[in-house]
Amino acid sequence: MLCYPDRRSALRAGAAVAAGALTAACGASGRTDPAPTAPTSAAAPSPAGAPAVAPAPHRFPGQPVEIGHGPRDRPRVALTFHGNGDPATARAILAEAEKGGARVTVLAIGSWLDAHPEMARRILDGGHELGNHTQRHLAVNAMPEAEAYAEITQCAQRLKRLTGSIGSWFRPSQTRYATPLVRTLAQRAGYPHVLSYDVDSLDFTSPGAAAVIRTVTGTIRSGSVVSLHFGYADTVAAMPPLLEELARRKLRAVTTTELLTP
């Protein structure tokens, strides 16, 4: 269920695709799954002062609705971050990723974007990708259908307003795996796939940078999707040695879309 575009392949088409998906998400009664978008050349640079445009969600044929990892036969991994917390810590993590040549995927909480809208552009301008982690980061799997759908679409609205796209991925809040209902609601909102992970760093428990590094490097392998968080000093401190270890193992940290691109 993935069409494997490169990171910037749908920049020009992203806003149009996202607008149709969001219209269906916020008003239409029927289910809308966006059609695959063929890769295109990179878009022209955004005008001065305008936010970068995020890629539109893509369908990756052959992949399940809920994706926990990428192909195991290529030396790539995806470092994914839950977007919340002190923006200074988020910027420090992004800076460390960029120093190490890594591109990451950020699943942002809508209320965080409301408080720090400038972070959407900071993420995209750094070459990273941005996605949806619900509006309030509540236990989405336990919500009634209408409330869960609102959590997804309200965050999508923030992303679209800030970037021109509803974001590349949806990840459910307070859970690794979405229920069948939440997967269906995410697809209705315009996200062909739900993004899970196969490596949990446990950085949100503040175990110390060394423990974060051990946890990740002890289980990561080609194709892994790693769950990390903004807002924790341990994660900032762990980034340089973690990226050094990935380089030693010849594993390249890429966006989730790049991870799934042949």
Side-chain angles (χ1 to χ4, degrees), residues 8-259:
R8 297 187 183 275
S9 64
L11 292 182
R12 295 185 70 91
V17 174
L22 189 61
T23 298
C26 298
S29 59
R31 172 170 166 174
T32 300
D33 294 334
T37 303
T40 64
S41 59
S46 298
V53 178
H58 286 271
R59 186 183 308 282
F60 292 79
Q63 289 284 350
V65 171
E66 188 154 57
I67 296 173
H69 63 80
R72 297 298 192 186
D73 59 350
R74 297 198 300 271
R76 304 176 187 173
V77 297
L79 304 181
T80 69
F81 290 83
H82 299 232
N84 198 18
D86 183 355
T89 305
R91 290 189 189 96
I93 289 171
L94 292 170
E96 292 297 344
E98 290 153 16
K99 286 179 189 175
R103 288 191 289 265
V104 305
T105 299
V106 179
L107 292 312
I109 296 167
S111 60
W112 185 69
L113 292 175
D114 288 340
H116 309 290
E118 75 284 356
M119 289 305 303
R121 176 161 185 165
R122 170 63 186 89
I123 291 162
L124 294 176
D125 284 355
H128 312 291
E129 74 183 344
L130 185 61
N132 181 329
H133 196 39
T134 75
Q135 177 61 22
R136 297 176 294 166
H137 200 257
L138 303 178
V140 68
N141 280 350
M143 291 179 176
E145 179 175 347
E147 189 176 350
Y149 191 54
E151 280 293 307
I152 299 169
T153 57
Q154 285 173 15
C155 185
Q157 289 170 335
R158 271 73 175 168
L159 289 163
K160 184 174 184 294
R161 185 177 68 244
L162 291 169
T163 72
S165 166
I166 64 172
S168 302
W169 296 93
F170 168 73
R171 173 172 286 167
S173 48
Q174 296 197 26
T175 181
R176 179 181 292 201
Y177 303 111
T179 61
L181 173 61
V182 170
R183 290 198 297 267
T184 297
L185 296 177
Q187 288 187 305
R188 186 186 303 165
Y191 300 96
H193 304 279
V194 171
L195 182 59
S196 183
Y197 47 90
D198 64 324
V199 178
D200 190 347
S201 69
L202 299 175
D203 59 346
F204 62 92
T205 66
S206 297
V212 172
I213 296 164
R214 284 195 305 271
T215 298
V216 174
T217 59
T219 51
I220 199 170
R221 58 191 177 114
S222 293
S224 282
V225 176
V226 184
S227 172
L228 294 143
H229 294 75
F230 284 167
Y232 295 89
D234 291 348
T235 311
V236 179
M239 285 297 289
L242 175 58
L243 293 174
E244 288 173 9
E245 177 61 16
L246 294 180
R248 189 187 70 79
R249 298 186 190 186
K250 302 188 185 307
L251 292 173
R252 188 160 61 97
V254 298
T255 67
T256 304
T257 298
E258 289 173 313
L259 179 74

